Amino acid sequence: KAAEKAAEKAAEKAAAEKAAGAKAATGSTGGFDWQADILRRLEAAPGGKLDAKRLRKAAVSGAAAALGSSDKEDLRKAYRRSLKGLRHRVSVFDDPATGAEAVELKR
């Protein structure tokens, strides 16, 4: 019985390490499609344009709710990486009308 328990504990430990490694590889935001979320929000916006801060806050809040995560800094970093990955689809610029940074779908 002692050998069975030792083998069982070793298997549990190996499974936990494997899960931790998978989480580290994907980051804390592995289950959320940032780019699809950003594009969906921009497509729903009037004129395909949103204030950058408003878009970031909405996307990070949505990801936090979907993932059950409370580490907003990690989520913000993931948002920035995803926005960079969308450079071919969106443009980030200073909006002269508002004086703030805005994100717009490229036409």
Side-chain angles (χ1 to χ4, degrees):
K1 278 195 168 187
E4 285 178 21
K5 277 194 173 190
E8 197 174 300
K9 275 191 175 183
E12 285 177 13
K13 186 176 179 182
E17 287 172 359
K18 186 177 179 182
K23 183 175 181 180
T26 59
S28 62
T29 61
F32 188 73
D33 190 348
W34 286 95
Q35 292 185 352
D37 184 68
I38 291 168
L39 290 174
R40 186 172 46 252
R41 290 177 192 280
L42 286 171
E43 287 165 355
K49 180 172 82 171
L50 280 175
D51 176 67
K53 186 176 182 180
R54 179 177 290 162
L55 176 61
R56 176 181 51 83
K57 287 185 172 216
V60 166
S61 295
L67 297 169
S69 175
S70 60
D71 189 358
K72 297 277 181 155
E73 190 55 38
D74 276 352
L75 296 175
R76 283 188 205 103
K77 287 178 185 175
Y79 165 79
R80 284 188 220 109
R81 281 193 307 269
S82 295
L83 197 58
K84 283 182 184 177
L86 284 172
R87 280 183 288 200
H88 64 288
R89 301 274 316 266
V90 302
S91 58
V92 180
F93 63 97
D94 288 329
D95 189 355
T98 62
E101 196 174 59
V103 181
E104 182 176 46
L105 284 172
K106 288 183 179 176
R107 302 282 173 203

